[in-house]
Amino acid sequence: MKITGIETYSLSSPLERPFGWSQGWIDRRTVGIVKVSTDEGIVGWGEGAGGPAAAAVHDVMAPALIGQDPMNRVGLWQKMFARLYNANVAVGFGGSALSAVDTALWDIAGKATGLSVSELLGGRIRDRIAVYATGLYYTEGEFPTRLLDEATGYVEAGFMGMKTKVGGLPMDQDIKRVAELRKAIGPDVKLMIDANQAYNAPSAIRLGQRVSEHDILWFEEPVNAQDLEGYLQVKAELPMAISGGENLRTRYEFKDFLARRAYDIAQPDVINVGGITEMRNVAAMANAFGIQVNPHVWGSPIMIAASLHVAASIPPCPPSGDPEPFVQEPVMEFDRTPSGIREGLVEEPFDQIDGYVAVPTGPGLGIEIDERALARLAD
Ligand code: CA
């Protein structure tokens, strides 16, 4: 089998109600998709090829891939990585372009062999992945009714935990928001906060200390993603777990954060870290250092499927006999904010039951891309 073509698609879906994260507001959801075609008619889908990453796919990856055997995932990963590494662009968009193509190659390998990606990875430790709801972003006029209704909706839907933003409002208002959320959901549901790198270390410590009375399970990206010393400072001063890593590419960017235990929880992102191939490498490294791995997921069904397959083989941390989600078992982010792409690109969008999402069992990623929806969502 040979790779014959690589196409990218820029998808965009407007939001009815714009929402804010810790660093800005968005009025549409966007996703960059890659489709890798072969001479046997099998196609593979990947995600992470948005904006400049699409240019990297076409200009850097495609010349290295056309005519190659797509089954050689490790060889092609190395070939692509070498091109990026030697130009010092394996970080940022280069890493996302690599991720997109790598994911598509795993999809092809699964379809060619009749095996799911998790089976190709060696099988599954678990058939369903515990998830938490990501939502509770900022919206105009949300507080308190709409925000608290959203939170209690997640409790009623059966989620064991949920995550909200901090860092987008003046600190006193963010703290009030967290306090009201905890009151609304009661003491039994996990609550996490995410600053999207909004703070410096002393400000993150100040906020963390003031919300700690509301039983915050983890504080995500409290400081700049590259600020290793800042992470260590925050981690030393706060009682809750400190998490991060969604913006890092490859094991080489992760290594110091893991070796110095800057995270209690690492959150590699399959469309940033270097695809399924590298996600697994980083997850194994983290596990060896006693760091929990909870995959970061915020995208289309392609990314969700890829993350579920990898999460199926992430060992508990530590490798205890009777692991509990949020304690030793990995838990996956499950974005619940509105997205026409997440809900529209496949016939049956992923859903959770009792706080778990089932790992797909079909060949490859195990999803069927609706090409009419792809055309409709194309930018
Ligand atoms: Ca995050």
Side-chain angles (χ1 to χ4, degrees):
M1 185 166 40
K2 284 190 173 23
I3 297 172
T4 52
I6 300 177
E7 293 159 82
T8 56
Y9 302 85
S10 173
L11 308 187
S12 177
S13 170
L15 291 166
E16 249 170 60
R17 194 196 308 274
F19 62 79
W21 53 304
S22 314
Q23 303 272 11
W25 284 69
I26 60 170
D27 61 6
R28 56 188 52 250
R29 299 295 297 264
T30 56
V31 167
I33 303 285
V34 66
K35 177 183 179 184
V36 177
S37 307
T38 65
D39 60 354
E40 292 186 13
I42 296 172
V43 302
W45 298 95
E47 182 173 336
V57 168
H58 292 294
D59 299 345
V60 185
M61 309 295 181
L65 294 170
I66 301 293
Q68 299 290 314
D69 176 4
M71 300 299 283
N72 183 16
R73 300 179 296 288
V74 167
L76 294 182
W77 193 96
Q78 206 58 39
K79 202 172 179 147
M80 291 188 283
F81 178 72
R83 289 189 167 213
L84 298 166
Y85 177 74
N86 290 331
N88 197 25
V89 289
V91 294
F93 292 115
S96 296
L98 172 61
S99 302
V101 175
D102 176 80
T103 301
L105 297 180
W106 281 90
D107 193 24
I108 290 171
K111 287 169 177 166
T113 55
L115 298 172
S116 67
V117 168
S118 41
E119 287 169 316
L120 287 176
L121 287 166
R124 301 182 191 127
I125 296 170
R126 54 193 74 79
D127 292 323
R128 57 179 196 156
I129 311 299
V131 296
Y132 65 88
T134 280
L136 311 172
Y137 283 67
Y138 303 109
T139 52
E140 242 3 287
E142 60 170 14
F143 194 76
T145 310
R146 195 186 319 130
L147 178 75
L148 301 184
D149 284 352
E150 183 186 343
T152 50
Y154 296 139
V155 178
E156 282 156 24
F159 282 102
M160 295 175 271
M162 67 188 77
K163 191 168 79 189
T164 188
K165 296 294 171 190
V166 293
L169 293 175
M171 192 180 284
D172 286 344
Q173 290 177 42
D174 268 334
I175 290 166
K176 187 158 191 255
R177 212 170 164 269
V178 172
E180 290 299 319
L181 280 168
R182 171 51 81 198
K183 215 186 290 172
I185 65 176
D188 299 330
V189 177
K190 270 89 177 166
L191 181 61
M192 292 77 82
I193 58 172
D194 181 1
N196 299 129
Q197 318 181 53
Y199 296 121
N200 55 46
S203 303
I205 291 165
R206 174 97 181 115
L207 176 111
Q209 284 169 339
R210 293 182 62 194
V211 297
S212 64
E213 65 177 300
H214 306 302
D215 190 16
I216 303 303
L217 185 63
W218 77 64
F219 186 175
E220 180 169 321
E221 287 200 308
V223 295
N224 179 275
Q226 304 287 346
D227 186 4
L228 174 60
E229 297 299 331
Y231 265 96
L232 292 169
Q233 198 182 335
V234 169
K235 195 164 157 278
E237 296 293 331
L238 291 180
M240 70 281 279
I242 300 300
S243 72
E246 67 183 71
N247 283 298
L248 301 190
R249 271 70 172 171
T250 79
R251 78 203 86 143
Y252 305 110
E253 274 202 311
F254 266 96
K255 81 176 159 63
D256 290 342
F257 285 84
L258 300 178
R260 297 191 63 193
R261 210 161 168 157
Y263 308 134
D264 298 296
I265 298 164
Q267 297 166 303
D269 171 304
V270 77
I271 71 169
N272 283 337
V273 72
I276 290 166
T277 301
E278 192 66 353
M279 179 91 164
R280 177 172 240 205
N281 292 334
V282 167
M285 283 170 66
N287 187 259
F289 284 107
I291 297 168
Q292 178 87 33
V293 178
N294 292 344
H296 174 265
V297 188
W298 211 71
S300 88
I302 296 170
M303 179 189 195
I304 297 170
S307 304
L308 287 166
H309 285 295
V310 179
S313 69
I314 295 173
C317 178
S320 50
D322 187 19
E324 181 187 342
F326 296 95
V327 181
Q328 305 96 348
E329 270 284 84
V331 294
M332 199 183 93
E333 177 165 33
F334 198 51
D335 165 33
R336 296 291 82 197
T337 53
S339 168
I341 299 170
R342 190 189 64 231
E343 302 303 313
L345 197 56
V346 290
E347 295 257 323
E348 284 182 49
F350 286 100
D351 206 358
Q352 60 88 31
I353 300 169
D354 301 330
Y356 289 83
V357 176
V359 182
T361 53
L365 291 171
I367 52 169
E368 212 52 68
I369 297 296
D370 178 349
E371 298 223 27
R372 281 167 315 171
L374 188 74
R376 197 174 60 241
L377 292 161
D379 216 351

